[in-house]
Amino acid sequence: MRVLGIDPGYAIVGFGFIDKIGHKLIPVQYGAIQTEAHTAPEQRLLQVYESACALMDKYKPDTVGVEKLFFNRNVTTAFDVAQARGAIILAAVQRGLPIGEYTPLQVKQAVVGYGKAEKKQVQEMVKMFLKLSAVPKPDDVADALAVAICHAHSIVLTQKINEVKR
């Protein structure tokens, strides 16, 4: 099963594709979609959307995990990120991909085992889980891979619960 993890953003969207084969998690591709600060907002959203479409078409994920937004200060930034997140979700839905949404607390819990873990702890666990030589940069990329790991683990649990219900 191929999982795409997304850390939504407006200037930087982190993405990470991993394959889940049995209990193994194998990194496939990861990086960031970056938009320029002085570009018109609609052009930035178009760039996020088109880049997300191209990535999904190239790497063909079976499912997508997206981090839910958590903002407590800058409302303007929250709106921008929410719009970019919507563009990414639209790209996934157009391709018929199931989507899982996770709070930062849920991602940290799944990756580190502690919902209030520090960013550095999450990054080191991502590096360990995926057997990477270094923590991916920028931070948004490591965060996206953490979402992918969380989603990969959650899918297994969801499938088992559904089997028991049948």
Side-chain angles (χ1 to χ4, degrees):
M1 172 179 36
R2 179 155 295 169
V3 178
L4 167 58
I6 296 285
D7 178 35
Y10 188 61
I12 301 173
V13 176
F15 68 86
F17 291 88
I18 62 172
D19 283 346
K20 181 171 177 31
I21 302 170
H23 294 291
K24 289 185 179 181
L25 299 176
I26 301 162
V28 174
Q29 182 62 275
Y30 50 90
I33 300 166
Q34 298 187 9
T35 64
E36 292 296 321
H38 300 291
T39 305
E42 62 275 10
Q43 290 303 311
R44 290 176 88 174
L45 289 175
L46 179 62
Q47 183 182 347
V48 167
Y49 172 77
E50 288 179 340
S51 297
C53 289
L55 286 165
M56 289 178 204
D57 292 344
K58 181 174 183 178
Y59 294 101
K60 304 204 179 315
D62 298 301
T63 185
V64 180
V66 182
E67 189 170 79
K68 288 184 180 180
L69 297 182
F70 174 78
F71 281 92
N72 58 2
R73 290 196 184 138
N74 191 334
V75 174
T76 303
T77 302
F79 285 136
D80 292 341
V81 174
Q83 288 178 328
R85 187 175 180 277
I88 294 161
I89 290 172
L90 174 63
V93 169
Q94 286 178 327
R95 284 153 182 75
L97 298 172
I99 298 168
E101 300 178 279
Y102 305 94
T103 66
L105 186 121
Q106 289 171 310
V107 173
K108 291 175 182 179
Q109 180 72 40
V111 175
V112 180
Y114 177 59
K116 294 185 180 179
E118 297 292 325
K119 187 177 261 312
K120 183 104 174 115
Q121 291 173 296
V122 175
Q123 292 171 343
E124 287 300 322
M125 290 302 289
V126 164
K127 178 182 160 192
M128 186 190 78
F129 270 125
L130 300 177
K131 297 176 177 53
L132 302 173
S133 59
V135 172
K137 296 290 179 194
D139 291 350
D140 311 76
V141 178
D143 292 346
L145 286 167
V147 172
I149 292 166
C150 174
H151 191 49
H153 290 317
S154 296
I155 287 171
V156 172
L157 181 61
T158 302
Q159 287 172 339
K160 288 181 180 181
I161 290 170
N162 289 339
E163 287 172 14
V164 170
K165 286 182 179 178
R166 290 183 203 153

